[in-house]
Amino acid sequence: MSHGGGDHATEIYPEEQILAIGVGLSLIGCYLAHFLGAYGLSMLLGGLLAAGACVAGANTVRKVAAYGLGTGVPSIGMASLGMGTIAVLAGILIPKAFGISYLVAPILTLIISAIVGFILGKLTVNPVGMKIPIMVRSMTFLSIAGAMAILGFTVAYAGSLDPNVYINASVKSGIIALAFIAPGMAILHPFNACLGPNESHKRTLTLAVACGLLTWFIFSVVKLDLLSVVISIILWAIVYAKFVKMSFKDACAVLEVPEIPKKEE
């Protein structure tokens, strides 16, 4: 049985619940990265928790893709990261412009991303004309997940919510471009890899967790945080091995590809 007219399995965890947990973890991670940055723990804790937003985004992609978006999945994902980037920069810079505490930046980013996502969702329905019942909600959720993934990983890298520190470390350095691509792939890839008549929600989410951890690993390498590099790659290996095991179990048949001949016989 499928939802929304797609050909993949019914969800076993409510979308709103996954979004709340994933975004909530990323939000907590932003503050932990800021307050523990001086102790060298920003990437270890902030990066780990930011992976939750990637899982939330991947789950929403799965939900909206049930309506037969097909090749539109990458497009909607990139739109979510574009909206997220705008929300992040606005959330970081608005407190400075209005002379308020920069500690409100994550909350402000969350609010702005929801507003931007809702507006874009409305535009995709009218005048664009995408007749998908959950389009507005999905674009809103994707904008939120994308923004919190970008903010989570960039704050983990910068180690601070202070706009002066953040802009220098994560924007002028170009790290925000990596934050656009890497979490974007983590959000888009899981369903694209698992779609088909035997797709299962649990297996897709397992791959989403693995992709989120791999994104954390990438940022850990860039930051040269050895402890985070080791822990992230170990956790990724554990989760990905579980995903492979689930894929073998769910497969109709596992066929071995013969070795390519080294010379003509």
Side-chain angles (χ1 to χ4, degrees):
M1 180 178 179
S2 62
H3 61 266
D7 63 353
H8 54 280
T10 304
E11 61 184 14
I12 56 177
Y13 307 108
E15 181 186 16
E16 295 82 1
Q17 185 180 84
I18 294 176
L19 181 78
I21 293 173
V23 170
L25 288 175
S26 183
L27 194 65
I28 293 171
C30 288
Y31 286 108
L32 289 178
H34 171 76
F35 288 111
L36 299 178
Y39 302 97
L41 298 174
S42 63
M43 183 56 69
L44 180 63
L45 298 176
L48 170 61
L49 297 181
C54 295
V55 177
N59 186 65
T60 295
V61 166
R62 177 188 185 272
K63 180 88 171 184
V64 71
Y67 291 84
L69 281 179
T71 55
V73 172
S75 300
I76 196 174
M78 288 297 98
S80 71
L81 272 296
M83 292 185 291
T85 303
I86 293 172
V88 167
L89 293 176
I92 290 291
L93 295 175
I94 286 177
K96 181 179 180 181
F98 287 90
I100 58 179
S101 173
Y102 53 73
L103 292 179
V104 304
I107 303 297
L108 198 56
T109 297
L110 183 62
I111 295 172
I112 294 172
S113 64
I115 294 172
V116 173
F118 179 82
I119 293 173
L120 189 59
K122 284 290 187 180
L123 291 174
T124 57
V125 174
N126 186 20
V128 175
M130 294 187 71
K131 297 179 181 180
I132 297 176
I134 63 170
M135 195 65 186
V136 176
R137 184 184 72 181
S138 295
M139 291 302 290
T140 303
F141 285 2
L142 279 171
S143 179
I144 292 172
M148 296 313 298
I150 292 172
L151 184 66
F153 285 115
T154 51
V155 171
Y157 182 86
S160 177
L161 287 166
D162 185 329
N164 295 318
V165 176
Y166 179 90
I167 294 298
N168 285 327
S170 294
V171 178
K172 292 183 178 180
S173 66
I175 291 299
I176 198 165
L178 177 63
F180 179 93
I181 296 298
M185 293 302 296
I187 289 172
L188 294 174
H189 176 67
F191 181 68
N192 273 345
C194 296
L195 61 81
N198 200 33
E199 188 268 350
S200 75
H201 194 194
K202 188 173 183 179
R203 189 171 75 249
T204 299
L205 282 182
T206 301
L207 181 57
V209 173
C211 289
L213 293 172
L214 188 59
T215 304
W216 175 30
F217 168 75
I218 292 170
F219 276 89
S220 298
V221 170
V222 174
K223 190 174 173 63
L224 301 178
D225 187 324
L226 183 59
L227 181 59
S228 296
V229 167
V230 173
I231 294 178
S232 61
I233 201 63
I234 290 174
L235 291 178
W236 170 81
I238 293 171
V239 176
Y240 192 72
K242 182 178 180 181
F243 165 73
V244 172
K245 185 176 180 180
M246 293 170 70
S247 299
F248 280 6
K249 181 180 179 181
D250 293 346
C252 176
V254 179
L255 303 178
E256 299 295 336
V257 179
E259 183 180 357
I260 299 174
K262 294 183 173 58
K263 62 181 180 178
E264 186 177 352
E265 296 179 355

